């Protein structure tokens, strides 16, 4: 009789284990996502890898800027909004729930064909000078940066509600609407505008500057180094733009300031309840982290990951 009971209990445990396993494998449903261009490339990668484990899950991802991401998710048009800036009090009041998934930075850029490139990499540009270019409009020509040229600085910014623009403006304690320049839609559009204009100056997220296969800035735009100590020259410990690994190391160490470095967020309405959404976010914060650095983003520490995972438990 005892043997019979033990067998029944063992069989029951085995059934439960198999049921749990099948449920995980047979995860089925849809996830809709929209938002920040900054998060779009890595989210596509995460979705591709997640669907290898869960082929019955369909994930639709649309880039359109952080503003679209937060609007769509708060309107319940999508399950997840991709947001590349800190959320504000009004958004939290409407129910926004933010989970940090990775980190990157906004970098000032010029065309790879810029005639000012060589000298800029010797001198860098002071924060105050960037402020007078992008915010006050006081610096309008390249001679204000020490060049013997009366050529105008063609300043470019974003036309869409952008986390990159908001973060770049925050570097000067301002808002996106305070930025000067010709407004261009999206990260790809801004990169193309600067690439085509040797007198242009703009800003982009890391993945729109560097080629993740070569780790070099080979997409037609290059970073403009920041003269962090304001001494009028680019010192060795300020020159970390040659490849993406050097830049990421500078961001992790804090050499590159924050802002314009910043966390990137998945935003839901309230704490995630949809089991498919929860499983996707858990995957991103665990197995999915292996793809972060090779895609041009910054991995979180174990402590940070554990903190974010607690939000979806």
């Amino acid at each position: 009789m005892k043997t019979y009971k033990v067998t029944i209990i063992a069989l029951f445990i085995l059934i439960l284990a198999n049921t749990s396993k099948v449920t995980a494998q047979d995860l089925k449903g849809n996830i809709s996502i929209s938002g920040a261009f900054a998060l779009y490339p890595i989210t596509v990668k995460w979705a591709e890898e997640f669907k290898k484990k869960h082929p019955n899950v369909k994930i639709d991802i649309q880039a359109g800027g952080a503003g679209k991401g937060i609007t769509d998710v708060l309107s319940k048009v999508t399950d997840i909004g991709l947001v590349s800036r800190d959320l504000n009090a009004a958004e939290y009041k409407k129910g926004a729930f933010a989970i940090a998934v990775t980190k990157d930075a906004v970098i000032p850029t010029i065309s790879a064909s810029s005639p000012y490139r060589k000298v800029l990499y010797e001198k860098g540009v002071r924060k105050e000078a960037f402020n007078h270019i992008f915010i006050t409009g006081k610096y309008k020509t390249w001679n204000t940066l020490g060049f013997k040229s009366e050529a105008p600085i063609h300043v470019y910014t974003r036309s869409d509600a952008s986390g990159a623009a908001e973060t770049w403006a925050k570097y000067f304690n301002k808002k996106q609407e305070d930025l000067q320049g010709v407004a261009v839609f999206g990260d790809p559009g801004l990169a193309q505008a600067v690439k085509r204009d040797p007198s242009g100056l703009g800003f982009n997220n890391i993945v729109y500057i560097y080629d993740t296969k070569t780790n070099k800035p080979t997409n037609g735009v290059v970073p403009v180094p920041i003269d962090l100590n304001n001494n009028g020259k680019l010192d060795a410990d300020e020159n970390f733009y040659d490849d993406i690994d050097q830049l990421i190391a500078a961001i992790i160490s804090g050499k590159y300031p924050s802002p314009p470095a910043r966390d990137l967020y998945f935003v839901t309405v309230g704490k995630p309840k949809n089991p498919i959404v929860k499983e996707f976010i858990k995957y991103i914060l665990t197995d999915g982290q292996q793809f972060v650095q090779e895609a041009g983003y910054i991995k979180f520490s174990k402590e940070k990951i554990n903190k974010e995972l607690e939000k979806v438990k």
Side-chain angles (χ1 to χ4, degrees):
M1 191 67 172
K2 288 182 180 179
T3 303
Y4 177 73
K5 286 183 178 180
V6 170
T7 303
I8 291 294
I9 291 168
L11 183 61
F12 181 68
I13 292 170
L14 184 62
I15 290 169
L16 281 178
N18 285 338
T19 302
S20 177
K21 187 176 180 182
V22 169
T23 302
Q25 289 177 342
D26 291 351
L27 199 64
K28 187 176 182 179
N30 302 319
I31 303 174
S32 56
I33 303 171
S34 77
F37 286 94
L39 261 172
Y40 179 77
I42 186 61
T43 304
V44 169
K45 176 65 175 176
W46 281 330
E48 289 172 351
E49 296 300 326
F50 184 76
K51 286 188 285 187
K52 289 177 183 178
K53 293 188 174 186
H54 304 287
N56 294 320
V57 174
K58 181 182 178 183
I59 305 176
D60 179 68
I61 308 165
Q62 301 292 328
K68 177 173 172 54
I70 193 71
T71 298
D72 285 351
V73 74
L74 291 180
S75 303
K76 298 185 179 179
V77 173
T78 60
D79 299 303
I80 297 169
L82 307 179
V83 181
S84 52
R85 57 165 174 77
D86 293 335
L87 272 65
N88 59 50
E91 290 161 348
Y92 281 119
K93 191 173 180 179
K94 291 177 182 177
F97 187 87
I99 301 161
V101 291
T102 187
K103 184 173 184 173
D104 80 338
V106 182
I107 313 290
T109 55
I110 54 171
S111 172
S113 63
S114 170
Y116 313 106
R117 177 179 177 179
K118 183 177 183 295
V119 177
L120 287 175
Y121 271 77
E122 294 170 357
K123 297 172 58 177
V125 176
R126 298 180 184 184
K127 179 180 178 179
E128 181 185 19
F130 279 126
N131 183 63
H132 285 318
I133 294 168
F134 283 96
I135 303 296
T136 70
K138 182 179 176 181
Y139 288 5
K140 297 182 182 296
T141 56
W142 284 98
N143 63 356
T144 57
L145 296 179
F147 295 96
K148 294 178 181 179
S149 173
E150 296 289 338
I153 301 172
H154 297 157
V155 184
Y156 294 93
T157 184
R158 291 279 288 275
S159 63
D160 51 310
S162 156
E166 188 71 20
T167 302
W168 183 238
K170 191 176 180 181
Y171 185 41
F172 312 106
N173 295 314
K174 296 293 183 179
K175 298 288 188 181
Q176 176 176 348
E177 52 266 32
D178 298 314
L179 292 172
Q180 304 278 332
V182 176
V184 182
F185 180 79
D187 255 304
L190 185 48
Q192 282 298 312
V194 173
K195 176 183 177 179
R196 291 193 296 262
D197 188 348
S199 286
L201 182 65
F203 54 85
N204 274 102
N205 296 299
I206 294 172
V207 293
Y208 294 94
I209 303 170
Y210 291 83
D211 185 316
T212 54
K213 292 181 180 178
T214 65
N215 283 355
K216 299 289 184 181
T218 55
N219 292 329
V221 294
V222 295
V224 179
I226 302 175
D227 178 13
L228 296 168
N229 62 9
N230 296 309
N231 69 349
K233 63 179 181 178
L234 194 68
D235 297 324
D237 65 345
E238 296 173 315
N239 191 1
F240 38 69
Y241 301 91
D242 185 55
D243 67 58
I244 202 169
D245 292 335
Q246 288 181 35
L247 178 57
I248 286 174
I251 294 167
I252 292 171
S253 70
K255 284 183 179 180
Y256 191 83
S258 180
R262 43 66 197 279
D263 286 350
L264 304 175
Y265 301 93
F266 272 25
V267 177
T268 57
V269 177
K271 188 173 181 177
K273 294 180 181 177
N274 183 325
I276 306 171
V277 171
K278 287 177 68 174
E279 201 64 34
F280 184 46
I281 296 173
K282 285 178 183 177
Y283 167 80
I284 285 167
L285 290 168
T286 52
D287 293 351
Q289 289 294 300
Q290 67 184 294
F291 306 109
V292 166
Q293 191 156 341
E294 69 183 44
Y297 298 79
I298 293 92
K299 288 178 70 173
F300 284 150
S301 65
K302 288 183 179 179
E303 292 76 15
K304 177 81 169 179
I305 286 173
N306 289 336
K307 178 184 175 183
E308 299 306 311
L309 273 170
E310 282 296 319
K311 296 179 181 179
V312 288
K313 286 185 177 178

